[in-house]
Amino acid sequence: MIYVDADACPVKAEILKVAERHEMEVTFVANSGLRPSRDPMVKNIIVSGAFDAADNWIADHVGDDDIVITADVPLAVRCVEKGAHVTGPTGRLFDKTNIGMASAMRDLGAHLRETGESKGYNAAFSPRDRSAFLETLDRLCRRAKNARTGPAA
């Protein structure tokens, strides 16, 4: 299963393409504004507008070896703790080896923005980011499928 923190996700089409190739189900979770799909492998979950409602839904449903796509580091922390494979839309991988540092850097950035030391601008999403994401998601799909079925002989 692939879970997508879908609010403002710039790689929805890429997710669907990779998921179809690997025959994996996709669940888009958002506060609003999801385009319906006729594909039975794609589910849309609309949650309330409450703060972190989509994150909470994903964290409550994700399991071991599921895949989560999110740019939200606190959600990534929760999902890594549950054994999920997590990537951001730029292909940044979050796992047990780097999630602590990612969380600390997020907290530091928030502190610097609050104190006015940093403006907090994010780099624009680029074709290179899209390419890195596709590579990462394809690798995570293979890893997740192998974990559930064992490597092909």
Side-chain angles (χ1 to χ4, degrees), residues 5 51-52 55 58-59 68-82 86-90 92-95 98-110 113 122:
D5 186 0
F51 183 73
D52 281 346
D55 296 356
I58 292 169
V68 176
I69 296 137
T70 184
D72 186 276
V73 175
L75 174 58
V77 169
R78 294 166 70 186
C79 294
V80 167
E81 287 173 354
K82 288 190 154 194
V86 184
T87 184
T90 61
R92 180 181 182 192
L93 189 62
F94 298 104
D95 60 22
N98 69 7
I99 196 66
M101 181 61 76
S103 182
M105 293 303 292
R106 180 219 177 254
D107 292 345
L108 175 61
R113 285 187 300 280
N122 290 328

Side-chain angles (χ1 to χ4, degrees), residues 120-141:
Y121 299 119
N122 290 328
F125 190 76
S126 71
R128 187 176 188 166
D129 294 329
R130 195 173 307 277
S131 177
F133 172 77
L134 283 166
E135 285 181 35
T136 300
L137 182 57
D138 191 67
R139 186 172 62 250
L140 290 180
C141 287

Side-chain angles (χ1 to χ4, degrees), residues 13-74:
E14 289 80 0
I15 293 165
L16 293 174
K17 183 168 60 171
V18 174
E20 182 178 11
R21 184 169 55 243
H22 289 281
E23 299 176 342
M24 295 181 75
E25 293 179 41
V26 176
T27 300
F28 290 107
V29 184
N31 298 105
S32 65
L34 290 175
R35 179 172 291 154
S37 174
R38 293 183 182 158
D39 186 337
M41 299 291 279
V42 178
K43 285 187 356 186
N44 289 336
I45 304 294
I46 305 296
V47 296
S48 76
F51 183 73
D52 281 346
D55 296 356
N56 291 337
W57 192 97
I58 292 169
D60 289 345
H61 289 82
V62 73
D64 201 32
D65 289 313
D66 286 334
I67 297 169
V68 176
I69 296 137
T70 184
D72 186 276
V73 175

